[in-house]
Amino acid sequence: MKSAALIASALIGSAAAFAPAQTGKATTALHAFESELGAQPPLGFWDPLGMLDGADQERFDRLRYVEVKHGRIAQLAFLGQIVTRNGQHFDGPIDKAGDAYSSFPNGLAAILGDNAIPKEGVQQILIFIGILEVTLMSDWTESAEFPGDLRNGTFEGAWNKWNDKQKLQKRAVELNNGRAAMMGILGLMMHEQIGGSFPIIGQM
């Protein structure tokens, strides 16, 4: 449950980017963000926590980057839940003792349960994530066209084949899928503690 709370607090940063138009004292800065990507029906611009009160474009871009990043992680996490709970695991042993990947539980129980992955394994995962964070998953060339653009000069042909309208549509799809995945993975984490069975995912 503590992990679910941590995830929930991390997702709060995403609330500022999608959301009903405010009434009353709406600042000039807030009006400037009402036409940003992600402020779309049925909610429109929605900032219930007031995270954009008095914010400038740099602040908005930072929050948007965090939202996109969390959305991408959540999509991978949700897909991972579906795949592993369907019985699909890497072949072979996960450690020198010969324990198979499939011998460990799914979901949060894999790192917090009674039969969790050894702490050395979790440390290796965290180190790997850290390496990705400072290398591939960063705008190290400072050539990003928008928050979350981590191409770093690659895949130019694949992206530039789209016109501006199509590019915005592609970004909106990713943004919405990420938002749905953040809610989805949080729901799965909560239901893993509650228990039950669900279509596609199976027994929690």
Side-chain angles (χ1 to χ4, degrees):
M1 295 301 290
K2 291 183 178 179
S3 294
L6 289 175
I7 295 295
S9 63
L11 294 179
I12 290 176
S14 304
F18 65 104
Q22 295 193 1
T23 58
K25 298 181 178 179
T27 65
T28 303
L30 289 178
H31 284 301
F33 301 132
E34 289 179 354
S35 60
E36 288 282 354
L37 182 71
Q40 55 201 36
L43 295 178
F45 180 81
W46 188 51
D47 182 21
L49 300 180
M51 297 183 71
L52 289 175
D53 291 348
D56 56 13
Q57 188 64 45
E58 182 179 0
R59 168 69 172 168
F60 178 87
D61 288 345
R62 171 59 184 168
L63 291 173
R64 171 50 51 83
Y65 170 75
V66 170
E67 179 185 22
V68 171
K69 181 177 180 179
H70 287 175
R72 290 169 177 170
I73 294 171
Q75 289 176 76
L76 291 173
F78 193 90
L79 181 61
Q81 283 270 15
I82 294 176
V83 171
T84 55
R85 291 187 183 280
N86 190 44
Q88 306 300 317
H89 300 87
F90 288 119
D91 293 327
I94 194 175
D95 55 25
K96 293 182 179 180
D99 296 314
Y101 284 91
S102 58
S103 66
F104 294 96
N106 301 308
L108 280 176
I111 57 176
L112 298 177
D114 296 332
N115 188 32
I117 298 171
K119 64 178 181 180
E120 293 80 6
V122 176
Q123 290 170 354
Q124 290 177 42
I125 294 173
L126 293 176
I127 291 173
F128 178 66
I129 293 173
I131 293 174
L132 291 178
E133 183 73 16
V134 299
T135 55
L136 298 177
M137 305 304 176
S138 64
D139 180 29
W140 52 273
T141 62
E142 299 183 355
S143 58
E145 295 181 11
F146 49 84
D149 178 10
L150 305 180
R151 291 175 296 142
N152 291 302
T154 60
F155 303 105
E156 293 290 343
W159 179 246
N160 291 332
K161 71 178 181 180
W162 310 108
N163 58 40
D164 290 343
K165 182 178 180 180
Q166 290 172 320
K167 288 179 178 179
L168 283 175
Q169 193 268 341
K170 298 292 183 183
R171 290 175 57 198
V173 168
E174 181 188 26
L175 196 58
N176 284 335
N177 287 347
R179 291 167 176 173
M182 285 188 278
M183 298 299 102
I185 192 61
L186 181 59
L188 287 180
M189 291 170 63
M190 298 299 294
H191 280 286
E192 183 177 343
Q193 306 303 312
I194 299 173
S197 181
F198 300 89
I200 301 177
I201 297 172
Q203 186 67 34
M204 299 297 291

